[in-house]
């Protein structure tokens, strides 16, 4: 027999149809790192945005994924790019995350970066960077899921920036 649900463990069950706020809160309970995914557009301009939908898919072959809103003005450019770079932000890079999540700003102004594979910008000071061939894309509702094949990577010992419950956090042992 099923045991009764313990409200101290999980708060009352909500229906997805009529409670988007509660769904967002439940999804936000999953703590993530924060990345900036970058590429070059067709005119050779650097593009990038803050992304926490990043995750690993496979080690052999080395595949990762992230998803991009279909409403993004960068959608066509990311679809067409040969490569993109996943820059994993360090604890001191909250301002970088905020900048790359804001519309209208020149996101790369004053940011130090160098060109990676396919020209994708590699930001200075990150915990890790994954340079990926833009392998394949899948439908994902109002997002498009990008699968990348990691061709080159690097990492540092810097502690990561963490995102949880709609807020930036840092790790504590
Ligand atoms: C912590 C954090 C994580 C985010 N993750 C994603 C994501 O995975 N996919 C996405 O499309 N937008 C994500 N966003 C929102 C975009 O960064 C934001 O809408 C940005 O303006 C999109 O860039 P664009 O205007 O070039 O589309 C996230 C924002 C924050 C603050």
């Amino acid at each position: 027999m099923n045991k009764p649900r313990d409200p101290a463990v999980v708060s009352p069950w909500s229906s997805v149809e009529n409670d988007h706020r509660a769904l967002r809160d439940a999804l936000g309970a999953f703590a993530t790192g924060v990345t900036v995914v970058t590429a070059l557009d067709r005119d050779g301009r650097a593009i990038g945005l803050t992304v926490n939908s990043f995750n690993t898919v496979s080690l052999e072959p080395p595949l990762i994924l992230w998803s991009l809103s279909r409403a993004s003005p960068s959608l066509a450019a990311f679809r067409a790019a040969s490569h993109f770079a996943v820059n994993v932000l360090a604890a001191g890079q909250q301002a970088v995350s905020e900048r790359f999540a804001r519309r209208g700003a020149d996101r790369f102004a004053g940011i130090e970066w160098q060109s990676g594979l396919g020209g994708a910008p590699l930001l200075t000071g990150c915990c890790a960077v994954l340079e990926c061939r833009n392998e394949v894309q899948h439908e994902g509702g109002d997002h498009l899921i990008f699968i990348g094949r990691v061709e080159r990577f690097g990492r540092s010992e810097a502690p990561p920036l963490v995102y949880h419950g709609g807020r930036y956090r840092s790790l504590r042992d």
Side-chain angles (χ1 to χ4, degrees):
M1 204 175 79
N2 285 340
K3 280 194 184 158
R5 287 166 181 145
D6 179 352
V9 176
V10 176
S11 60
W13 302 94
S14 305
S15 123
V16 170
E17 288 75 34
N18 58 24
D19 207 341
H20 277 269
R21 181 68 257 167
L23 174 59
R24 277 168 172 266
D25 290 348
L27 295 172
F30 183 58
T32 68
V34 183
T35 74
V36 167
V37 181
T38 56
L40 275 196
D41 73 10
R42 272 181 260 237
D43 301 320
R45 274 188 305 250
I47 56 168
L49 75 155
T50 302
V51 162
N52 74 339
S53 54
F54 165 76
N55 219 319
T56 56
V57 174
S58 160
L59 270 177
E60 191 52 58
L63 302 176
I64 59 92
L65 67 75
W66 63 285
S67 63
L68 176 62
S69 168
R70 287 191 168 279
S72 170
S74 310
L75 187 76
F78 273 110
R79 287 188 103 138
S82 69
H83 290 78
F84 56 77
V86 179
N87 297 273
V88 181
L89 297 188
Q93 292 182 304
Q94 181 177 331
V96 177
S97 174
E98 289 167 347
R99 163 97 70 99
F100 279 84
R102 206 176 302 133
R103 289 246 159 105
D106 177 358
R107 294 177 178 169
F108 289 89
I111 300 261
E112 226 179 282
W113 60 277
Q114 52 181 333
S115 273
L117 297 175
L122 313 178
L123 308 188
T124 302
C126 293
C127 310
V129 61
L130 303 160
E131 297 180 71
C132 304
R133 174 168 293 283
N134 196 358
E135 187 98 339
V136 68
Q137 291 126 45
H138 295 289
E139 302 299 319
D142 59 7
H143 280 58
L144 193 66
I145 301 163
F146 286 78
I147 306 273
R149 179 183 287 254
V150 182
E151 291 189 339
R152 206 162 68 177
F153 64 94
R155 67 164 299 215
S156 79
E157 292 301 323
L161 184 62
V162 176
Y163 199 71
H164 173 256
R167 288 177 46 198
Y168 293 98
R169 319 256 186 185
S170 51
L171 285 184
R172 199 175 40 184
D173 283 337

